[in-house]
């Protein structure tokens, strides 16, 4: 079927005079999820992974994604396609190898300003050029393309906001004026949802209403969407302009300086406003990252309820045998669905048994998942979207009898986790500095992990958000109120994976002027069977016992309320002092 589609696409390619066309997985909003109407990559290639890009020329078709999808790319595509794993392979290098000269067509809605610049730079001194299309070539050949999301936006309940729309707009405009801009193009839907205190149901895993917006210095916000999708939300300070009029509206703003964020601004909009923009990271992203007291209370509350679902799942897992990985994902969804304020999973659950745990972004899929093996480890990374917050937690548990090596490795990952949890640091400290503190206990044992230590987390928004992160590339300083994950790991290919993840809130350190520390909000037992006391210092052991005492103090009453004696017995054993 994709052969016929490729044939049609090549006819469109010839019609517009281009030699190659790029088909990214993303939509104009650049989120991790896309609505079905935007999944052009799956339509043209058959590949259903969450990241990737296709390049189609007159006689070749190439698919690119990252290491977690190497096998899936090959399995889901026909012989028309060659599959390539990034970053070892790159789209621009492939294009230069396979086309000596010609035009590479892009849809400028689907490429950000910063990606466009990188892409163009890669073709310097080659015979290749970039061609901006005025329509998407895939859409022309996709007769049964699903309809775009049409559900209405909803007001984010006032009790969870902590700040009114007007207060947020005022704070954003104050900073906007400092930047010298009069208006700001809002190209990240999570920013617009936060600013307006709205949410939506447009994509899986994030309660987002997908739209672009324009913040104006008169204290109003334009939302570019169909009128009927927002007529039931609070209309205060809101102007609605249909997406079909967006370009005309923006073109009419000539002689006005507009702030844009190159990381999310589609090239088509940056190009339209060329000469009248100030480029900077979004001020809304920075404001949104510092959670207010009401949001922080929500983060704590949601994590307590989420912990009960996790505890019930872990007790069930220990009491079961012969399960498959997808059974765990399904059980978690079923248990979270019983929690007050639950909206959806915050991402597709990762449940990796044995060797699958070593594949960092492994996702168990019905039909291709494994049985949960015995005498090894099982890594479970999952989360929920709740009205008051977003959760993200990883626990690694022993199934059967763990080896001494597994216990050694788990204990070292725990040491790294404790190192970050306990860190006290001066204001201005960046994520990269904290990343090194976290890894130090692993490095000391000749261990490491090939992913970041932590990412920002939204409140009833995206589970991954900026601007701060804790990683080798973390250049942003942490600030009080930010919510970040603490998720060091260790992975042995072909054997098992270990990760321990809690969410942390950054807070001023008591009695230490100018210093910050963390509060952990995730309260779920760590697997005591995997701890080798020979490798814990007395301070680390005290941390572990204090942590379990805190879990017992806060979560036990909620477990008792459920009236399930088996779960309570499991919980009491799991939180015992060591
Ligand atoms: Zn996670
Ligand atoms: Zn995470």
């Amino acid at each position: 079927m994709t052969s016929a589609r490729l044939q049609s696409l090549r006819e469109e390619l010839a019609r517009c005079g281009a030699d190659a066309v790029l088909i990214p997985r993303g939509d104009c909003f650049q989120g991790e999820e896309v609505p079905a109407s935007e999944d052009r990559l799956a339509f043209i290639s058959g590949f259903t992974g969450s990241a990737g890009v296709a390049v189609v020329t007159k006689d070749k078709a190439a698919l690119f994604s990252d290491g977690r999808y190497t096998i899936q790319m090959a399995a889901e595509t026909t012989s028309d396609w060659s599959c390539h794993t990034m970053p070892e392979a790159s789209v621009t290098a492939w294009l230069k190898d396979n086309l000596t000269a010609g035009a590479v067509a892009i849809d400028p809605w689907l490429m950000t300003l910063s990606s466009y610049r990188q892409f163009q730079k890669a073709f310097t001194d080659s015979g290749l050029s970039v061609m901006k299309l005025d329509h998407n070539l895939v859409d022309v050949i996709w007769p049964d393309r699903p309809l775009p999301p049409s559900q209405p936006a909803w007001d984010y309940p006032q009790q969870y906001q902590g700040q009114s729309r007007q207060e947020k707009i005022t704070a954003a405009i104050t900073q906007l004026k400092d930047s010298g801009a009069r208006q700001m193009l809002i190209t990240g839907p999570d920013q617009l949802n936060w600013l307006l205190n709205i949410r939506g149901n447009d994509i899986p895993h994030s309660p987002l209403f997908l739209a672009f917006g324009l913040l104006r210095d008169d204290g109003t916000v334009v939302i570019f969407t169909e009128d009927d999708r927002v007529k039931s939300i609070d209309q205060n300070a809101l102007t609605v302009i249909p997406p079909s009029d967006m370009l005309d509206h923006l073109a009419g703003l000539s002689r006005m300086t507009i702030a844009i964020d190159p990381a999310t601004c589609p090239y088509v909009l940056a190009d339209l406003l060329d000469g009248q923009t100030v480029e900077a990271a979004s001020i809304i992203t920075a404001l949104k990252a510092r959670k207010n007291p009401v949001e922080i209370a929500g983060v704590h509350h949601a994590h307590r309820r989420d912990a009960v679902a996790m505890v019930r799942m872990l007790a069930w897992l220990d009491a079961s045998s012969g399960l498959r990985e997808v059974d765990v994902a399904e059980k978690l969804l079923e248990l979270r669905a019983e929690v007050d304020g639950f909206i959806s999973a915050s991402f597709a659950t990762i449940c990796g048994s044995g060797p699958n745990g070593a594949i960092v972004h492994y996702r168990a899929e019905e039909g291709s998942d494994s049985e949960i093996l015995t005498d090894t480890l099982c890594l479970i990374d999952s989360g929920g979207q709740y009205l008051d917050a977003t959760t993200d937690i990883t626990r690694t548990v022993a199934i059967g009898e763990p080896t001494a090596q597994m216990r050694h490795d788990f204990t070292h990952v725990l040491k790294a986790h404790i190192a970050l949890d306990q860190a006290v640091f001066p204001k201005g400290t960046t994520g990269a500095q904290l990343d090194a503190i976290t890894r130090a206990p692993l490095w000391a044992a000749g261990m490491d992990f090939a992913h970041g230590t932590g990412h920002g987390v939204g409140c009833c928004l995206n589970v991954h958000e900026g601007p701060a992160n804790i990683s080798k590339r973390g250049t942003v300083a942490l600030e009080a109120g930010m919510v970040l994950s603490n998720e060091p790991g260790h992975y042995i290919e072909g054997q098992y994976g270990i990760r321990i993840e809690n969410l942390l809130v950054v807070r001023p350190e008591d009695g230490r002027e100018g210093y910050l520390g963390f509060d952990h909000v995730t309260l779920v037992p760590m697997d005591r069977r995997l701890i080798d006391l020979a490798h814990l210092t007395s301070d680390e052991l005290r941390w572990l016992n204090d942590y379990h005492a805190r879990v017992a103090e806060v979560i036990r009453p909620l477990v008792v309320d459920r009236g399930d004696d088996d779960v309570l017995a499991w919980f009491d054993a799991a939180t015992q002092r060591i």
Side-chain angles (χ1 to χ4, degrees), residues 311 315 556 559-560 564-576:
V311 162
R556 191 176 192 279
V559 175
V560 170
D564 185 328
D565 291 342
D566 292 340
V567 175
L568 184 61
W570 179 91
F571 180 87
D572 285 340
T575 52
Q576 253 176 45

Side-chain angles (χ1 to χ4, degrees), residues 108-129:
W109 281 100
L110 305 185
M111 194 178 267
T112 65
L113 175 57
S114 49
S115 314
Y116 177 80
R117 283 177 177 151
Q118 279 174 14
F119 197 63
Q120 219 184 23
K121 197 171 153 205
F123 291 153
T124 318
D125 301 328
S126 78
L128 297 173
S129 62

